[in-house]
Amino acid sequence: MRRITGKDQDETLIELQSAMDSQTGDSLAVLTAFGINLYSDETTGNGISFSSERGELPGRTETDELQAHKDTVFFSDGVRRIDFVLSYVDDKDGEKKQERRKEFEANLEKIGLQLETDDKSESKDQKTYFLKIHAPWDVLAHYADVLKIKVPFKKSDIPHSQDVPLEWLTRPFRLPHHIMHPRPDYFTYPFDKSKINFFSDKESFFPPSTRNRIVFYILARCPYYKEGQIEKDKTGIKRLLSNGTYTAAFPLHDCRYWKRARDSKCESERYDLYSNWARFLCFYKEQPLNLIRKYYGEKIGIYFAWLGFYTEMLFFAAVMGVICFTYGVLSYDDNISSKEICNDTIGGTILMCPLCDKKCPFWKLNSTCLSSWQSHLFDNEGTVFFAIFMGIWVTLFLEFWKRRQARLEYEWDLVDFEEVQQQLQIRPEFEISCTNRRFNKVTQEMEPYLPMTSKCARFCFSAATVIFWISLIVACIIGVIAYRLAVYAAFASIIKDPMRRIQVVGRFITPQLATSVTASCINFVIIMILNFFYERVAIWITDMEIPKTHLEYENRLTLKMFLFQFVNYYSSCFYVAFFKGKFVGYPGDYKYMFGRWRKLRNEECDPGGCLIELTTQLVIVMVGKQLWGNIQEALLPVMRNWWSRRKGRHHPENHYSRCEQDHVLQNFSQLGLFYEYLEMVVQFGFITLFVASFPLAPLLALLNNILEIRVDAWKFTTQFRRPVASKARNIGAWQEILNAVAILSVVTNAFIMAFTSDMIPRMVYLYAYSTEGSMMGYINNSLSVYNISEIHPHSMPEEPGQWFENMTSTCRYRDYRYPPGHEREYKQTMQFWHILAAKMAFIIIMEHVVFVVKFFVAWMIPDVPSDVTARIKRERYVIQEYLHEYEVKELRMQLSASFVTEPRSEMSLTSDRKEELSVDL
């Protein structure tokens, strides 16, 4: 039924009669609606007024009735459910848009959908119309058959798992049974209209999420051109939204999130989700995954299942990281190397060569006392164990997730989804853009396709664009490195004597630390700016490629975005871990970036190594990204919704219809879930690729994810319109990305422990060069000697420093080279080659050990649990058995019906022949 204003009474009656004639299946409901709900527009005097014969109920005012009527998910008749809502406004280009809407809505009615329009006079801004759409049973059944939607046909007879021992320990973390299991467990089978009696009660076939999915499928493919015209580009609700014909298209929430619906026919699942899931006080409770899937669809459900499982597994990594960090704290006093650096008779007497040209003076080794103690917190024997543990943890996480995913695939009827339904999800944009057709040997039908020449050209352009943007990131990183080299001299000239020049925080500031912190902050800002622009470029070039299916579109976009994000977020960490301090040279032959004439001398590491700088870089980028992401996710939707609500609202929430209350919420875009995955996978890279430098990274990720789950849940239930339900069998291309990151993490952590950490040189000294069997003398052994008189004039400091005049004619630098006067002066010593061999051996041994354990664990743990395999076989057996019984029953009924009709026809034939014989005689 449609409310129509601005027309003559006779025209309106004709339209109402035609609407009734076109919807014979629901004629009673439509007539009821006409008798109750059609109204007269009091502001314009147009329309038709039908009065209800019902009197007011005692104790209810007219305002209460109006409010109860408005906050509903049903048509005005209170019977037909609103499956989808389209909103639009009249504007300066109204005639063209009105013509599009007229044709589009007429085509929707031809398909069988029922429409009802709320006039703009009832909206809060007096401008917005709301077109409400209802899909009757015949339409739902037809498209359920087309989409092969699985529906229940028999209650499952497979018993659930028995109670586990000590279950009472987990009771505080459990949710009520009706929340965790909102509907009974059924055996399901793809819907078939020809076998309607095979299934159970049809009222349970199509929950609201399935209904809005079917309606959106129709809307995305319904044309808005007149019959007889051929304009393929005039198809689908997405184009109507992009050209402004409609302003929004969305399914409705079933109630307000803080209050149950008044109508007992409404499920109030949004309220249950908010009360038991979205509130932060529920952070320690399990997630109601079945209810999430029932309300939002499988695709969103699988995301929260993965995020919850990832957070649970992070708990074990976080505990182990805290143990390793605690070991570093407890072994603080046993750190002989730091004691030697801080000792006035050892570190205080060692004069170090300048760290940069001109501006950097000679300096005492004990000025790095604090940074050496800080390095020991993360660079100790426990770090090696933790790096190996994380390599195994990643494997366990991915393997156990496969098992959890397989269980969800069975429970959510997704076992055969990929093979059967993905080809039915061809993107409307592909159908519109591809005018060429070819014969599909599988479906035996003509289908659109993209010619190979066009596909190759689009792919080449897309690849060139991605390479250009990645090159832009690399250029920015090189710029940040140049900044580090240039600004280090400035900081060194300011902080020449940290103990005296800066009285308050001088003990905590060194030129290396100041340079690292400021460069990390600048790098983070560049990352966010490039990320903002590249997101739009990636979507544009993916649209330009015209992928065939939604799955293909998401996979291509995922690959482009992750390649960019990988370089964007991790490149600075790779520089500090594997390049800084590795190509420095020595005082007589320093290496320069862009050549000696640029005067940008390559950076050196602290005497304690570069690991502490990698830790600083990792903390700033990782924590900064998480804070910025949480601020964006929590504050931006609130601010936008507040701005939408304040325009034109002068009454409490319950004075507005359910359509209006949802209309002012933020739209959840098709790529909304993509960004949630991307954020978590980037975080996964931080805690795996560089975790050897910062064992507390899993703890920070765990705390962030506990908050992330509730923030995302709060956004979905309170700040976003209800998304269109969609199916997904797994997490898609992200699974392969996680596998690749897991393998790469073993390599990166092995190289960090070998080349960034100072552990291998310490072990070589302890077991091969120490005369006392301890670390005494390690600092002196790890520093080479250089004759100051041989330093090139352009490398000599302008102000040598207060210690230079009273010291000897040599300075020390971090390397293993022969001293001046030796026959192999300034060449690498044998110890250098021993250490290099030990580093390479460590990398090979660690990688092989971790990989062997990884593959052994992956082989030991089956991807599909045995009980799930048994359930799948049992369900397939039951389906075949019931189908056989059903077909036999139908055949018997047909035979019995034919048996009743055939004898009668034979008797009539015999009597006719008898009459003929009598006539002949």
Side-chain angles (χ1 to χ4, degrees):
M1 191 262 317
R2 299 183 61 190
R3 295 180 180 173
I4 305 172
T5 60
K7 295 189 177 185
D8 293 336
Q9 182 173 350
D10 292 337
E11 294 178 1
T12 309
L13 285 172
I14 292 172
E15 292 193 8
L16 294 176
Q17 182 62 40
S18 63
M20 286 187 288
D21 292 341
S22 65
Q23 303 297 339
T24 57
D26 289 314
S27 58
L28 181 60
V30 174
L31 289 172
T32 306
F34 289 159
I36 297 174
N37 297 298
L38 287 175
Y39 71 104
S40 175
D41 189 343
E42 297 178 359
T43 59
T44 62
N46 297 325
I48 303 172
S49 175
F50 287 79
S51 60
S52 174
E53 297 180 358
R54 295 182 304 172
E56 280 191 14
L57 293 175
R60 289 189 65 183
T61 64
E62 186 177 352
T63 306
D64 292 334
E65 277 194 34
L66 179 63
Q67 293 172 6
H69 164 73
K70 285 193 167 204
D71 191 15
T72 181
V73 293
F74 294 94
F75 271 21
S76 301
D77 57 10
V79 176
R80 292 171 295 166
R81 190 181 188 104
I82 302 172
D83 297 317
F84 227 87
V85 174
L86 307 180
S87 65
Y88 61 91
V89 295
D90 289 332
D91 52 23
K92 59 183 179 181
D93 194 22
E95 292 185 2
K96 291 183 179 180
K97 294 178 180 178
Q98 187 175 3
E99 183 66 23
R100 295 189 198 120
R101 286 193 293 267
K102 181 179 178 181
E103 296 299 331
F104 186 68
E105 293 169 18
N107 289 331
L108 290 178
E109 289 179 331
K110 288 178 183 178
I111 292 172
L113 297 179
Q114 298 174 6
L115 312 178
E116 179 181 272
T117 305
D118 284 350
D119 190 73
K120 65 180 180 180
S121 61
E122 294 188 356
S123 64
K124 64 183 180 63
D125 58 4
Q126 302 291 303
K127 298 178 182 178
T128 306
Y129 295 87
F130 292 101
L131 176 66
K132 298 178 285 190
I133 302 174
H134 168 74
W137 165 257
D138 290 341
V139 175
L140 293 173
H142 173 73
Y143 282 95
D145 195 357
V146 170
L147 296 173
K148 304 300 179 186
I149 293 177
K150 289 187 175 182
V151 295
F153 73 91
K154 179 185 181 297
K155 278 193 175 181
S156 174
D157 57 3
I158 301 177
H160 291 281
S161 57
Q162 302 296 323
D163 295 339
V164 296
L166 302 178
E167 187 182 7
W168 58 272
L169 290 175
T170 62
R171 286 178 185 171
F173 309 102
R174 299 291 181 186
L175 290 174
H177 184 269
H178 73 280
I179 299 296
M180 292 300 299
H181 304 282
R183 57 184 179 185
D185 188 13
Y186 280 91
F187 289 137
T188 59
Y189 185 73
F191 184 79
D192 188 344
K193 287 178 66 177
S194 63
K195 297 182 175 66
I196 187 64
N197 296 327
F198 174 72
F199 302 98
S200 58
D201 183 15
K202 71 177 186 179
E203 297 300 325
S204 63
F205 277 8
F206 308 118
S209 58
T210 303
R211 297 175 69 97
N212 71 56
R213 177 183 163 218
I214 291 174
V215 173
F216 183 74
Y217 180 88
I218 298 172
L219 294 175
R221 288 158 177 78
C222 182
Y224 54 91
Y225 52 83
K226 293 182 180 179
E227 188 175 355
Q229 297 177 345
I230 302 177
E231 300 181 54
K232 297 295 289 182
D233 60 330
K234 292 187 175 181
T235 302
I237 187 62
K238 290 184 179 180
R239 291 190 66 86
L240 292 173
L241 290 171
S242 63
N243 61 32
T245 303
Y246 292 100
T247 56
F250 54 93
L252 291 178
H253 285 294
D254 58 5
C255 66
R256 286 172 279 176
Y257 67 86
W258 69 90
K259 187 178 182 181
R260 289 191 178 276
R262 297 183 181 183
D263 195 334
S264 60
K265 293 183 294 183
C266 191
E267 300 85 356
S268 298
E269 291 173 347
R270 185 189 187 192
Y271 171 79
D272 290 334
L273 286 170
Y274 176 75
S275 302
N276 297 279
W277 178 51
R279 294 187 302 130
F280 183 74
L281 293 178
C282 301
F283 73 92
Y284 61 93
K285 290 185 176 292
E286 61 184 337
Q287 296 187 86
L289 295 177
N290 289 319
L291 185 58
I292 296 170
R293 173 246 182 168
K294 183 173 182 284
Y295 192 74
Y296 291 114
E298 287 80 2
K299 192 171 186 178
I300 292 177
I302 206 79
Y303 162 72
F304 280 104
W306 176 81
L307 181 57
F309 184 81
Y310 171 45
T311 304
E312 292 172 7
M313 292 295 292
L314 274 177
F315 173 78
F316 302 101
V319 169
M320 190 58 63
V322 171
I323 292 174
C324 291
F325 180 77
T326 304
Y327 172 80
V329 174
L330 295 178
S331 61
Y332 205 66
D333 294 333
D334 299 331
N335 184 14
I336 298 176
S337 300
S338 295
K339 289 181 178 180
E340 289 186 346
I341 292 175
C342 299
N343 194 315
D344 291 336
T345 60
I346 301 176
T349 59
I350 296 177
L351 183 68
M352 302 296 294
C353 299
L355 295 174
C356 64
D357 295 343
K358 297 294 186 182
K359 299 296 183 181
C360 298
F362 294 96
W363 52 286
K364 280 186 177 181
L365 180 60
N366 64 355
S367 63
T368 62
C369 176
L370 182 63
S371 64
S372 68
W373 285 111
Q374 293 170 344
S375 296
H376 177 73
L377 295 176
F378 308 106
D379 188 5
N380 53 67
E381 294 78 7
T383 308
V384 182
F385 169 78
F386 184 66
I388 296 174
F389 168 81
M390 286 301 295
I392 300 172
W393 174 88
V394 168
T395 304
L396 291 174
F397 163 64
L398 294 175
E399 291 301 318
F400 282 124
W401 165 245
K402 289 179 185 177
R403 292 171 60 85
R404 177 70 173 132
Q405 188 171 257
R407 190 176 297 277
L408 289 176
E409 286 179 15
Y410 168 74
E411 293 176 354
W412 292 357
D413 299 324
L414 299 171
V415 173
D416 301 320
F417 171 72
E418 204 77 34
E419 295 76 14
V420 177
Q421 298 190 19
Q422 280 300 330
Q423 295 304 316
L424 297 172
Q425 295 189 0
I426 295 178
R427 299 173 65 240
E429 295 85 352
F430 182 84
E431 296 176 336
I432 294 169
S433 302
C434 299
T435 56
N436 298 307
R437 295 289 187 272
R438 68 180 176 186
F439 185 73
N440 189 319
K441 296 180 181 179
V442 177
T443 62
Q444 299 291 305
E445 296 177 354
M446 298 298 291
E447 66 175 11
Y449 82 101
L450 193 65
M452 184 59 65
T453 54
S454 176
K455 187 181 295 185
C456 291
R458 294 171 187 271
F459 176 79
C460 292
F461 179 78
S462 175
T465 305
V466 173
I467 293 172
F468 168 78
W469 276 88
I470 291 179
S471 302
L472 184 62
I473 301 172
V474 174
C476 291
I477 295 301
I478 293 174
V480 172
I481 295 172
Y483 162 83
R484 297 173 68 106
L485 302 181
V487 82
Y488 181 83
F491 280 122
S493 63
I494 296 172
I495 315 173
K496 292 178 181 177
D497 183 4
M499 298 296 292
R500 298 184 180 182
R501 295 296 181 88
I502 303 176
Q503 297 295 331
V504 180
V505 292
R507 294 183 66 248
F508 304 99
I509 293 181
T510 63
Q512 292 94 334
L513 180 61
T515 303
S516 180
V517 171
T518 55
S520 299
C521 293
I522 292 173
N523 182 66
F524 176 71
V525 173
I526 292 174
I527 285 172
M528 302 311 296
I529 294 173
L530 292 176
N531 186 53
F532 175 80
F533 288 105
Y534 181 76
E535 284 180 2
R536 287 147 182 79
V537 174
I539 294 172
W540 174 69
I541 59 178
T542 306
D543 290 337
M544 182 267 302
E545 292 176 7
I546 320 178
K548 183 177 181 179
T549 65
H550 294 285
L551 179 65
E552 188 178 349
Y553 180 91
E554 291 181 1
N555 288 345
R556 291 189 186 184
L557 182 61
T558 297
L559 181 61
K560 292 182 183 67
M561 286 296 296
F562 184 76
L563 282 176
F564 177 84
Q565 300 284 11
F566 184 90
V567 180
N568 200 15
Y569 281 104
Y570 303 143
S571 55
S572 59
C573 292
F574 271 99
Y575 164 72
V576 175
F578 306 123
F579 295 97
K580 183 180 177 181
K582 308 302 185 296
F583 309 99
V584 176
Y586 61 97
D589 185 23
Y590 284 123
K591 306 299 180 183
Y592 291 81
M593 188 178 182
F594 308 126
R596 185 182 296 271
W597 60 279
R598 283 291 185 183
K599 300 180 180 180
L600 295 177
R601 201 172 98 188
N602 290 344
E603 289 182 279
E604 297 185 40
C605 294
D606 277 333
C610 278
L611 196 70
I612 189 63
E613 292 191 43
L614 178 59
T615 303
T616 304
Q617 180 78 25
L618 181 64
V619 169
I620 290 176
V621 177
M622 177 181 172
V623 175
K625 182 186 182 304
Q626 291 181 349
L627 288 176
W628 178 251
N630 286 329
I631 290 173
Q632 277 188 314
E633 291 184 13
L635 293 184
L636 285 182
V638 173
M639 297 300 294
R640 289 171 179 168
N641 289 335
W642 170 81
W643 182 256
S644 299
R645 288 191 179 100
R646 68 179 294 275
K647 296 187 294 183
R649 286 223 167 174
H650 308 289
H651 301 287
E653 187 83 7
N654 60 355
H655 282 252
Y656 301 100
S657 68
R658 168 64 27 217
C659 298
E660 292 175 90
Q661 293 179 39
D662 286 4
H663 183 258
V664 297
L665 298 178
Q666 292 299 301
N667 180 48
F668 187 76
S669 67
Q670 183 182 358
L671 298 176
L673 211 57
F674 168 82
Y675 294 114
E676 302 293 344
Y677 274 118
L678 182 63
E679 179 185 1
M680 289 295 102
V681 172
V682 169
Q683 181 204 83
F684 179 80
F686 280 125
I687 68 164
T688 53
L689 295 174
F690 309 103
V691 74
S693 66
F694 188 45
L696 294 181
L699 177 63
L700 296 180
L702 173 65
L703 298 176
N704 175 81
N705 288 6
I706 291 174
L707 179 63
E708 179 78 19
I709 290 175
R710 304 305 159 178
V711 169
D712 286 348
W714 172 79
K715 285 190 310 180
F716 273 96
T717 54
T718 68
Q719 303 301 311
F720 285 144
R721 298 170 187 159
R722 186 173 184 173
V724 178
S726 57
K727 284 183 173 290
R729 184 179 180 182
N730 48 44
I731 62 176
W734 298 112
Q735 182 76 39
E736 299 304 321
I737 290 175
L738 291 174
N739 289 331
V741 171
I743 294 174
L744 181 60
S745 67
V746 178
V747 180
T748 56
N749 283 299
F751 273 84
I752 287 173
M753 295 308 303
F755 287 98
T756 310
S757 168
D758 204 36
M759 184 201 67
I760 300 298
R762 290 199 300 262
M763 294 297 102
V764 171
Y765 174 81
L766 178 63
Y767 294 109
Y769 290 90
S770 176
T771 58
E772 300 178 2
S774 68
M775 292 300 297
M776 296 292 295
Y778 168 72
I779 293 298
N780 186 64
N781 175 267
S782 64
L783 298 175
S784 298
V785 180
Y786 195 82
N787 195 337
I788 294 177
S789 62
E790 298 179 21
I791 297 179
H792 198 278
H794 68 74
S795 297
M796 283 292 289
E798 296 174 349
E799 300 179 12
Q802 60 178 331
W803 306 289
F804 179 66
E805 297 178 357
N806 301 324
M807 300 296 289
T808 61
S809 60
T810 60
C811 64
R812 309 293 292 273
Y813 60 99
R814 181 180 171 83
D815 206 342
Y816 294 91
R817 294 180 182 271
Y818 289 108
H822 193 276
E823 60 180 6
R824 300 192 62 195
E825 183 179 64
Y826 305 137
K827 301 294 183 181
Q828 278 95 357
T829 64
M830 188 56 66
Q831 187 176 355
F832 170 83
W833 300 108
H834 289 166
I835 292 174
L836 181 61
K839 289 179 177 180
M840 300 306 297
F842 174 83
I843 292 173
I844 294 173
I845 294 172
M846 179 177 171
E847 287 182 355
H848 281 70
V849 168
V850 175
F851 279 132
V852 167
V853 174
K854 278 171 63 70
F855 292 129
F856 178 75
V857 169
W859 175 75
M860 285 289 293
I861 302 175
D863 292 346
V864 182
S866 57
D867 65 312
V868 172
T869 303
R871 286 169 179 264
I872 293 174
K873 291 180 179 179
R874 169 62 181 168
E875 182 164 347
R876 288 174 177 170
Y877 171 78
V878 170
I879 289 173
Q880 294 298 324
E881 184 180 7
Y882 269 69
L883 273 176
H884 175 71
E885 292 179 0
Y886 172 79
E887 290 173 354
V888 169
K889 182 179 178 181
E890 290 292 314
L891 182 60
R892 286 175 178 174
M893 292 178 63
Q894 293 176 6
L895 290 175
S896 62
S898 64
F899 179 76
V900 171
T901 57
E902 285 179 2
R904 291 180 180 178
S905 61
E906 291 177 0
M907 289 174 62
S908 62
L909 179 61
T910 304
S911 61
D912 291 340
R913 287 188 175 182
K914 285 182 178 180
E915 290 179 0
E916 291 177 0
L917 289 172
S918 62
V919 170
D920 292 340
L921 291 171

